[in-house]
Amino acid sequence: MISKKMEKALNEQIALEGTASFIYLAMAAWCDSEGLEGCTQFMHRQSTEEREHMLRLFEYLSEVDGVAITPAIKQPQRTYKSVQEMFKKVYEHEKKVTASINKLIALASKEGDQTTFNFLQWYVSEQREEENLMRSILDKIKLIGEGPHSLYYIDKEILAVNAAELAAEGENN
Ligand code: OFO
């Protein structure tokens, strides 16, 4: 049995993961409209991942006799000045999600809710990986710089990153 306070906090996390999924889906649409195939694929995969993170929380709430709430998600930003600006936004959002997971863990700990504390550990590792991934992408974009054809090379890099992520997911399944 979960406390009402924890149930509310987990529902807020559901909304945050759902929001991330929609932000990344909107980013995929923008990348597609810019002809960035690698970035489009990357953002679609990220969006699906975030939906899975949301569903994991949904299922957990059901397991512990809580009630999951389907979030109302507002229209995300639809256009970006550059790919770099877009990935900076992704990184910022991931940091926000990490901070929120840390708060949930602090609450679980305060309530002596070992089950939720244990459940949330998966998100701790996931957030470490996501933040690291986004930081490495931003580093690559910086290295490529703004010379001629830079967008082409950035997109190629992101396509390779996406393929590596898909391969890693395949190995873990
Ligand atoms: Fe759900 O991991 Fe990113 O936000």
Side-chain angles (χ1 to χ4, degrees):
M1 187 72 190
I2 198 158
S3 76
K4 281 289 153 205
K5 196 170 176 183
M6 183 56 82
E7 181 188 73
K8 184 172 177 281
L10 290 174
N11 270 310
E12 283 165 7
Q13 190 65 30
I14 283 178
L16 205 51
E17 303 286 351
T19 300
S21 179
F22 267 45
I23 289 174
Y24 300 162
L25 192 58
M27 285 175 172
W30 178 72
C31 293
D32 190 33
S33 73
E34 295 291 307
L36 300 163
E37 196 190 328
C39 293
T40 305
Q41 287 183 22
F42 180 90
M43 286 306 169
H44 269 296
R45 192 189 43 73
Q46 285 296 126
S47 173
T48 303
E49 251 194 32
E50 297 301 348
R51 182 175 187 276
E52 286 164 6
H53 299 172
M54 179 184 76
L55 292 180
R56 197 178 263 259
L57 285 151
F58 244 76
E59 281 155 23
Y60 176 72
L61 272 172
S62 151
E63 265 178 42
V64 293
D65 205 18
V67 179
I69 299 170
T70 312
I73 295 171
K74 70 173 192 340
Q75 172 75 63
Q77 183 174 341
R78 279 158 48 188
T79 57
Y80 293 87
K81 280 204 280 297
S82 66
V83 172
Q84 189 170 25
E85 187 214 2
M86 183 186 76
F87 275 104
K88 274 186 186 160
K89 289 257 159 98
V90 175
Y91 185 42
E92 289 313 310
H93 192 83
E94 290 304 328
K95 286 199 284 189
K96 191 171 154 188
V97 172
T98 303
S100 174
I101 292 290
N102 289 342
K103 268 197 196 160
L104 282 173
I105 288 174
L107 178 61
S109 190
K110 194 173 151 210
E111 291 194 351
D113 181 349
Q114 298 300 336
T115 312
T116 304
F117 184 91
N118 186 43
F119 165 76
L120 289 168
Q121 298 311 305
W122 179 89
Y123 286 86
V124 174
S125 315
E126 181 65 19
Q127 282 311 119
R128 188 195 64 235
E129 282 171 20
E130 299 248 291
E131 279 196 33
N132 186 34
L133 176 66
M134 298 315 161
R135 229 182 3 254
S136 73
I137 288 176
L138 281 169
D139 286 346
K140 280 192 176 89
I141 293 175
K142 208 167 150 195
L143 273 177
I144 292 171
E146 289 176 0
H149 312 305
S150 63
L151 252 187
Y152 171 78
Y153 291 112
I154 290 170
D155 196 46
K156 240 178 121 163
E157 275 296 326
I158 307 295
L159 189 67
V161 169
N162 193 55
E165 287 294 306
L166 280 173
E169 277 170 24
E171 275 168 26
N172 292 334
N173 287 333

